[in-house]
Amino acid sequence: CSMDVAPGPCFEPPEPIVEGGRNHSYRVVLDAQPSADVEVFAVADEGLIVTPGSIIFTTEGWSTAQNFTVHAVHDFVVEGTHELAVRHSVSSSDSRYVFERQLYGHFTVIDADVASVVVDSPGFASEGGDAIDICFRLTSIPSDPVHISVENGIADHGAGDVYSDVPFAAGLSVLGGDIVLNSSTWRSGACVSAVASEDDVAEGTRSFTLSYALSSVDGDYDGPAQESAVAVDVVDNDHGAFVVTLDQAA
């Protein structure tokens, strides 16, 4: 292979690499015998790691190819497929291997990140019991704070469900339904509490849906596509029964 300078180092075209995936190597060779040792230095763009920092071609071993290894860092930023570069400079007392500009090796990097929300919920709450925590975290670093608004639960009256004739006196209420996640808290997340209040009505286990919506200047975490819901079952602690009182005077 050859470049637009001669003589000089030649870089074999690299294949696309995946963020956080396996390391890739690319070969470097000289296209003419030098009169002195030639050292090739490599400095990567942010997002790439290249090793070693330099390789040396001697006057005897100049024709043997050597490898640089490059790794694409999993940065948890949604970027899509993008291009990054490794810049190479050359040092030698052979004036033919002295270049005024750096030589670039370009890499196509396949992004490993998507913007989505992970919800951690116990899935059930006990009527009249302790509040439960429903926690939210993001799968990637947002470029701007993400606001998550969680609404009170709506009962799911699915077909085949049998409830008391008495309307629900209690539901699933969210305490502190607004949270904000940013570039510091996106991974650790934040929680809202939900409580199923006591109603003294035998209704059986009921299913509730807590809806939530996201808003942010970061377009990956904004808009209707980011609206979703969490299902929580409320376990009833009331039981239907007849109370019979005997009239002792009868």
Side-chain angles (χ1 to χ4, degrees):
C1 57
S2 63
M3 300 185 71
D4 57 357
V5 289
C10 177
F11 304 90
E12 290 191 352
E15 60 184 340
I17 56 180
V18 179
E19 276 189 4
R22 66 180 180 87
N23 293 339
H24 290 251
S25 296
Y26 63 97
R27 291 153 51 92
V28 182
V29 297
L30 302 185
D31 58 7
Q33 184 175 12
S35 60
D37 289 354
V38 176
E39 187 168 10
V40 180
F41 299 87
V43 178
D45 285 346
E46 184 177 359
L48 291 178
I49 298 174
V50 62
T51 54
S54 68
I55 54 178
I56 297 176
F57 293 93
T58 65
T59 55
E60 293 81 14
W62 68 274
S63 61
T64 301
Q66 298 191 55
N67 290 343
F68 282 112
T69 298
V70 65
H71 177 77
V73 178
H74 189 186
D75 56 9
F76 296 98
V77 176
V78 177
E79 304 159 295
T81 299
H82 53 288
E83 187 174 274
L84 295 174
V86 177
R87 304 180 299 281
H88 305 85
S89 58
V90 183
S91 175
S92 178
S93 58
D94 184 337
S95 60
R96 297 177 304 163
Y97 282 95
V98 175
F99 306 107
E100 295 182 356
R101 61 182 179 82
Q102 294 182 322
L103 310 175
Y104 283 78
H106 295 277
F107 293 83
T108 298
V109 179
I110 300 173
D111 196 6
D113 299 299
V114 294
S116 62
V117 179
V118 177
V119 182
D120 296 312
S121 166
F124 68 92
S126 297
E127 184 180 296
D130 295 334
I132 62 170
D133 286 334
I134 301 174
C135 302
F136 298 80
R137 52 190 171 91
L138 309 179
T139 58
S140 63
I141 302 174
S143 60
D144 200 75
V146 178
H147 298 259
I148 303 178
S149 178
V150 188
E151 298 181 356
N152 287 336
I154 299 175
D156 179 12
H157 296 270
D161 292 334
V162 178
Y163 299 105
S164 165
D165 290 335
V166 180
F168 293 159
L172 189 64
S173 300
V174 175
L175 310 176
D178 294 315
I179 60 176
V180 179
L181 300 178
N182 54 37
S183 58
S184 298
T185 60
W186 67 276
R187 192 200 296 263
S188 58
C191 305
V192 298
S193 295
V195 62
S197 56
E198 177 65 71
D199 61 6
D200 295 323
V201 177
E203 302 148 314
T205 297
R206 297 159 288 160
S207 295
F208 286 81
T209 299
L210 298 175
S211 61
Y212 65 89
L214 280 63
S215 62
S216 176
V217 173
D218 184 337
D220 291 319
Y221 285 107
D222 185 64
Q226 293 292 358
E227 296 178 358
S228 194
V230 183
V232 177
D233 289 338
V234 172
V235 180
D236 194 9
N237 64 351
D238 300 302
H239 304 280
F242 292 99
V243 178
V244 178
T245 301
L246 297 178
D247 188 349
Q248 298 295 331

